[in-house]
Amino acid sequence: MNGWTLTATIALGAGAGATVWGVSTGPLRRRVVAQNLSSAVACPGLLLLAQGFGRTSYVDLALLLALLGPVGTLVFARLLADELAENPPRARGVTLAVAGYGAVVVLVLCAVTGPGRAMVKLLVVGVLLISGNLIASRALAGGFGSRRG
């Protein structure tokens, strides 16, 4: 076990524990935030495992998860819009912490990888991961279209 796999194991363990706790307990708003958290934690974990094991196919899985994870959250936000409108989730701190974690992982891996095609793929994964989870979190909190005032 090297440092990459140790970091991935710790992050995935803590993220999975928080996700299972959030999904199994509490109101609906906690459950949808935990669902969004699951993809936001698993994607950087896959990137760390790809570096630790030297398997580039894990980066492809992370790319797919970074693309489809927030889409799943947006589907839940759309289907549960009426229930979430009554008591919208407020998870700004968790969202920013997980986005920061994803950004740090991607930047460190870009520095280790060096310039090239693999670095471009890591940057694409990072942009999809961070922007997708920020958009999905915003959609859960009440959306973009309504103007209040």
Side-chain angles (χ1 to χ4, degrees):
M1 180 177 275
N2 57 25
W4 301 109
T5 57
L6 179 64
T7 305
T9 303
I10 292 169
L12 288 172
T19 300
V20 168
W21 176 77
V23 169
S24 63
T25 63
L28 177 65
R29 67 185 198 160
R30 183 185 302 161
R31 292 179 190 160
V32 293
V33 169
Q35 187 273 334
N36 192 31
L37 173 71
S38 66
S39 63
V41 171
C43 187
L46 283 170
L47 292 175
L48 289 169
L49 289 174
Q51 183 68 31
F53 292 134
R55 302 217 180 231
T56 57
S57 60
Y58 292 173
V59 177
D60 296 337
L61 289 174
L63 177 63
L64 185 66
L65 185 61
L67 184 64
L68 294 180
V71 171
T73 303
L74 291 173
V75 168
F76 278 117
R78 176 72 175 151
L79 292 174
L80 302 171
D82 294 336
E83 291 87 357
L84 291 173
E86 297 169 4
N87 194 6
R90 289 174 180 80
R92 181 173 292 211
V94 173
T95 301
L96 292 177
V98 173
Y101 165 67
V104 167
V105 167
V106 167
L107 290 176
V108 167
L109 290 175
C110 283
V112 169
T113 303
R117 184 176 171 194
M119 183 172 148
V120 171
K121 190 185 264 189
L122 284 171
L123 290 173
V124 168
V125 170
V127 167
L128 285 173
L129 173 69
I130 294 167
S131 63
N133 281 306
L134 290 176
I135 290 170
S137 180
R138 177 69 178 141
L140 288 174
F144 297 98
S146 63
R147 294 177 67 180
R148 297 178 185 152

